[in-house]
Amino acid sequence: MYQRILVPVDGSSTSSHGLGEAIRLAKVTAGRLRLIHVIDELSFALAMDAYSGRTGDWLDELHAAAARLLEEGKARAAAEGVEADSVLCDNFRGAVPDRVTAEAASWPADLIVLGTHGRRGLGRMVMGSSAEQILRSASVPVLLVRAPESHAKAEAARFTMPGGAVASQ
């Protein structure tokens, strides 16, 4: 039961809650984890707004941050006695939900565990819901782990849309 658990991670506290639940589940089932991080067009656009420099520099920075994130996740699992490997998707081929469900099918995963913000109303309409898209399109069971309300509100307050002005110096 649930021997191969796929865990999308993005560095948010919500994602961290999902990883924690996946680790607990893997310990109970003697399963293993595969962590996945996707660098998509939105990640790249946000990085472009945050950094000045050449396009290659932005992609290098995103790649380095993603590699650190995946290593930290694997170390967290290892500290709990859970085996984990990782996949970094950085070739801009498809949206995050599409890449996650494709990885679940090709690995093959028994379960996908992911954190969700639990947005409602206008926030959900504006931001969309990757978790909902994964839930609707996955060919395996999906466990959604909702972050505590306080974490979701704090992260929502941090989010800003890119202004489009990139420093060029």
Side-chain angles (χ1 to χ4, degrees):
M1 175 180 186
Y2 302 137
Q3 295 297 295
R4 298 164 68 89
I5 303 170
L6 184 66
V7 187
V9 293
D10 65 7
S12 68
S13 65
T14 302
S15 171
S16 181
H17 284 287
L19 176 57
E21 191 64 27
I23 290 170
R24 284 189 289 281
L25 187 57
K27 285 174 71 170
V28 169
T29 65
R32 61 173 290 139
L33 305 180
R34 172 163 288 176
L35 311 180
I36 181 172
H37 180 81
V38 179
I39 298 174
D40 64 342
E41 291 85 357
L42 178 59
S43 303
F44 189 69
L46 290 172
M48 285 175 51
D49 195 51
Y51 300 104
S52 64
R54 297 176 303 126
T55 302
D57 295 339
W58 296 321
L59 189 54
D60 290 345
E61 182 64 29
L62 284 172
H63 193 271
R68 281 190 304 273
L69 175 66
L70 292 169
E71 286 304 314
E72 289 167 3
K74 290 191 307 186
R76 184 174 166 193
E80 295 288 330
V82 173
E83 186 180 343
D85 64 11
S86 64
V87 173
L88 173 56
C89 299
D90 62 354
N91 57 9
F92 301 107
R93 289 191 180 142
V96 173
D98 297 335
R99 295 306 308 261
V100 170
T101 56
E103 183 65 28
S106 69
W107 182 31
D110 299 318
L111 176 71
I112 301 171
V113 176
L114 67 149
T116 181
H117 293 284
R119 289 187 185 99
R120 297 185 178 124
L122 183 60
R124 183 167 159 222
M125 285 176 48
V126 171
M127 296 294 298
S129 173
S130 291
E132 183 178 357
Q133 291 173 23
I134 291 168
L135 180 65
R136 290 178 185 271
S137 61
S139 60
V140 299
V142 177
L143 174 61
L144 299 178
V145 180
R146 187 167 176 190
E149 194 69 27
S150 60
H151 288 100
K153 285 181 181 178
E155 285 196 358
R158 284 185 338 162
F159 180 79
T160 57
M161 291 298 288
V166 177
S168 56
Q169 299 178 354

